Amino acid sequence: EYFEKGQVKKEYLALVEGAAQHIPSSPRLWHKKIDKHFRAEIRNEPGSGFKEIRAGLECLQASPEYSLVKVKLYTGRYHQI
């Protein structure tokens, strides 16, 4: 609820493998929490029991081996990052 109202702002820096300078700035992904196994499933398409997750991505620096990416979360889903 606080995420939806814009009352919580979360930003992270992520060091990822590979060159990420062409990542989408606002990918559309769907999330489903799997309580039994303490994990989450992320998909590129909606499905039964899945909720949309929203995040903003910005590649700050990139090399062929690694990239530094800023991640802004707009939804607060379990294991979203």
Side-chain angles (χ1 to χ4, degrees):
E1 175 181 327
Y2 291 104
F3 273 93
E4 298 298 325
K5 293 180 180 178
Q7 295 174 333
V8 175
K9 294 182 181 4
K10 290 200 174 195
E11 293 184 2
Y12 298 87
L13 293 177
L15 185 63
V16 298
E17 190 173 350
Q21 66 264 39
H22 300 296
I23 58 174
S25 61
S26 298
R28 292 202 58 179
L29 299 170
W30 283 264
H31 170 282
K32 181 178 184 179
K33 183 177 177 183
I34 303 179
D35 289 316
K36 183 177 179 180
H37 299 287
F38 303 103
R39 67 182 188 91
E41 184 177 344
I42 308 292
R43 291 186 177 178
N44 292 324
E45 299 175 3
S48 178
F50 284 78
K51 297 179 180 180
E52 185 175 11
I53 57 176
R54 293 179 297 134
L57 304 176
E58 179 184 354
C59 182
L60 301 176
Q61 290 185 346
S63 74
E65 293 84 23
Y66 299 99
S67 297
L68 182 63
V69 177
K70 180 165 60 171
V71 180
K72 291 182 181 182
L73 298 183
Y74 300 118
T75 53
R77 307 265 187 249
Y78 177 83
H79 288 337
Q80 179 175 336
I81 298 179

